[in-house]
Amino acid sequence: MSITLAMLLAAQTGEAIAPQVPSPPAPPVVVGAPDAPATTPGDPDRTEAEVQRSSAAADVVVTARRRAEQAQNVPIPISVVGVKELDATGSFNVQRLQQLQPTLQFYSTNPRNSSVNIRGLGAPLGLTNDGIDQGVGVYIDQVYLSRVAAATLDFLDVQQIETLRGPQGTLYGKNTVAGAINITSRAPSFTFEGRAEVTVGNLEFKQAKASVSGPITDQVAIRLGLAATSRRGTVFNVATGNYVNEQDNVGLRTAILYKPSEDLSFTLAGDYSRQNPECCAQVFVRVGSTQRAANRQFDALAAALNYEPPSRDAFDRVTDLDADLNARNELGGLSLRGEYALGEGTLTSVTAYRFWKWLPANDRDFTGLPITTLSQNPTRQDQYTQEFRYAGEGKGFDYVVGLFGFYQDIHTTGTQRQGAAASRWLIAPPAGGCVAGSTALACDPSVLDGLTASNDIRLKNFSGAIFGKLNWNVTDQITLSPGARLNYDDKVGSYVSIVRDAAGNLVPYSGGTARQAAQRDAIQPQAFEDEAFRAWNATYDITASYKPSRDVLVYGTYAHTFKSGGLNLNGVPVVNGVVQTQLAQIDPEKVDHFELGAKTQFWDRRVTLNVTGYWTQISDYQAIVNNQSTSTLRGYLANAGKVRVRGVEADFSVRPSDRFTLYVNGAFSDAKYLDFENAPCPPERSGGPAAPIGSPGGAAGVPGAQSPVLCDISGQWLPGISKFAFSYGGEYNLPAQVFGNDGEAYVGIDANSRTKFSSNASRSIYTDIDGYTLANVRAGFRTDSGVNVFGWVRNAFDTEYYEVLATTPGNTGLIAGNVGDPRTYGLTVGLSF
């Protein structure tokens, strides 16, 4: 996604630029932003309106550096998407937004188990852990959101979204090593205005969005916004007769602006979002042979239990999950932002409270068998933040200094219960199999039926920082921008898992009967309390930029930064009854980042070409690992060697006339583990008898072969990122008149393509996802008065693709996955005034 896409698609709603408009278009509105300077490209044969439209990309105003400035003048790779593009492309959440931005990745099997990555970095794919920070910061109106679950909810009354690539921390409250998503809501207005949009489509899709703003007094203005989305599920559950994986979102936002003088303003904002779908089912995808004994692999176990999945073709979109499904997700809060013009700058204070409640129900055996009948981790989080920031300027320089404080309190109460088929599925049967009268543990359903783990997970997390950034204009063309951050983290957490059998008897950490040992192999009880991580960390960076002309900017950046350490709150190995609490702490990631970039415009700013090359190397990468000092095969979160991500990104756009626009954005990414010797093994090298420590084990995918305790995956791909990714599209319009209303008819297409990527922490032959292309088209009519009516088709060619593939518990070889949306279509009617 280019910073120019906001202008290329600008004609896609009633608020957009239209031909033959006598007044010039305004740049995106940013609270506190000065008017963008006028541009006067020098073609005397072009009208003033044409000049301003073609140069509009240069006037995209961003606040990436905590001051309002034109995006093309900021030496940071930024993608900007405005409200017009979000509406026209149906990008109403981060999952949709990623289709416009090749370097943004979003993966989710449910709102809690979600990750937002930039350039393949951010959070480990496949493991949610309360005890670590995200690598990508999500900010809404300058308030940091610590839970990525917010990314699954609808955007509420958004003005624009800036995606900053590369480490941030010397300008932003929370340190982030991969980048930041900066979401700006539409501000209260002292001029009465409003907008509304209604969409209907197939799969019973319904969406309504509306906002209204205006003055209460000469000094007070208010804004109200709401959004609601619902859609029938895309997967049919034959066990319940319901469609699952539906959408059911509601959100409300209000903001009050008090402006007692030109130098002082306060904005009080509150929001609430609720998501309550019957979700989230992963369907049968395939079976791949593991090293587990042949009679303990999926097909043999299914036959022994007289079970067959409802379909072995994932794109039949059917399942038979027999446990409850729910993904209730609530998020909201209050914020107070004050801005005061003080001296030669602006003093800003942002005070905020946020809450997040997660009330799930899952089927974690991924089948219609009663193996795991209850799996849920209800969570409550309360978050408080305070930021003070001063952005000032002097003769030949400007700067930002800030103080940031963050406190988070998380309480998760998880429950896992095994069912009547668990013993046969999880315990090795006798050589002759289960026959009448057998006393083998695998043949006795009562061994694991009703076995229940009650988990209590707590975290208290404080982070405080002082940070600053200086921009020193060495000459009219050369600027040096050093930055620094001093950060302190204090995390205290507990993990307690108590396991009882169906009769309520405690399962001991070690020892006991053979029956209890089998129960412990299914669910390991453990506990550690008041584990703490405390550390100081320093970050610094420097950017040098050179601007030889108005339309060319060249820059280079080096950043030495970190991702905060934390606690492993998903449990750690237990060896001979001893909980390995030394593995509860996770060291910070240490990051060295290099970047070179150029931002250019030519042909009277009708063409924009931005290119960035980067190299990021991380030591002590936070990942799922196995520990060589133990004989356990349990995966947990810890530090693992080195990772390197390098690549080239290019954003190109052209507007040869008012009638036609075109954009192409691409990314080449080389993302690898450089040193990862203690990784969990992929399914084809798991499930068999344990090989001696240090042994490579037997042949992959051969039943009964020995499985290594750990695997060296140095040189393998990082999960979730394609080597090549592109987004591209354009629009053509013509003057038209409908029912006596002057306007324009338009047709547009937006598409994205990506190559193969890995969907497993350790790359597996069973979980690579083939590349695919998605194309979305739209056609409609809009007027200068703000009416916009258009039809749309998403995934126009009905491409069959997977969003995520996952291995399932027990090393049976079952691979489950999330299938992407089929072709959808609908009609949108919008009005703004």
Side-chain angles (χ1 to χ4, degrees), residues 11 223 246 495 821 828:
R223 186 172 196 90
E246 60 190 4
Y495 178 89
D821 282 351
T828 297

Side-chain angles (χ1 to χ4, degrees), residues 120 139 159 172 202 215 241 279 321 411 495 498 507 610 646 737 788 795:
Y139 296 83
Q159 173 64 39
Y172 280 74
N202 67 324
C279 187
L321 300 184
H411 186 197
Y495 178 89
I498 298 173
V507 176
N610 297 335
R646 59 187 179 185
Q737 189 178 77
N788 188 25
N795 189 8

Side-chain angles (χ1 to χ4, degrees), residues 292-322:
R292 207 179 195 196
N295 66 344
R296 300 190 64 204
Q297 302 213 22
F298 179 85
D299 287 332
L301 288 169
L305 292 167
N306 297 315
Y307 173 74
E308 175 62 24
S311 174
R312 289 183 176 246
D313 182 349
F315 296 100
D316 285 342
R317 300 178 187 273
V318 294
T319 187
D320 62 347
L321 300 184
D322 57 338

Side-chain angles (χ1 to χ4, degrees), residues 59 211 216 221 225 248 466 591 659 673 679 730 782 821:
D59 295 336
S211 65
I216 297 177
D248 182 9
I466 181 172
V591 182
R659 305 273 74 85
Y673 297 106
R782 54 181 169 247
D821 282 351

Side-chain angles (χ1 to χ4, degrees), residues 77 119 121 165-167 177 557-561 590-597 612-618 642-649 668-672 674:
R119 296 170 171 171
L121 301 174
R165 308 192 288 270
V177 298
T557 296
Y558 167 70
H560 177 76
T561 184
K590 304 172 185 67
V591 182
D592 288 291
H593 173 79
F594 302 86
E595 191 159 275
L596 292 174
T612 306
Y614 66 92
W615 185 303
T616 305
Q617 187 160 304
I618 301 177
K642 294 182 180 180
V643 160
R644 183 208 63 213
V645 181
R646 59 187 179 185
V648 177
E649 303 159 351
F668 164 75
S669 306
D670 179 22
K672 291 182 179 180
L674 291 184

Side-chain angles (χ1 to χ4, degrees), residues 1-15:
M1 178 64 186
S2 163
I3 67 166
T4 60
L5 180 54
M7 296 296 107
L8 294 179
L9 298 179
Q12 292 175 2
T13 71
E15 299 179 339

Side-chain angles (χ1 to χ4, degrees), residues 205-228:
F205 181 78
K206 296 180 288 293
Q207 185 175 73
K209 297 186 287 185
S211 65
V212 63
S213 184
I216 297 177
T217 70
D218 291 343
Q219 297 180 329
V220 178
I222 189 170
R223 186 172 196 90
L224 298 172
L226 60 88

Side-chain angles (χ1 to χ4, degrees), residues 463-478:
S463 179
I466 181 172
F467 57 90
K469 187 80 169 181
L470 171 69
N471 299 312
W472 173 38
N473 301 320
V474 181
T475 70
D476 290 341
Q477 297 176 319
I478 299 174

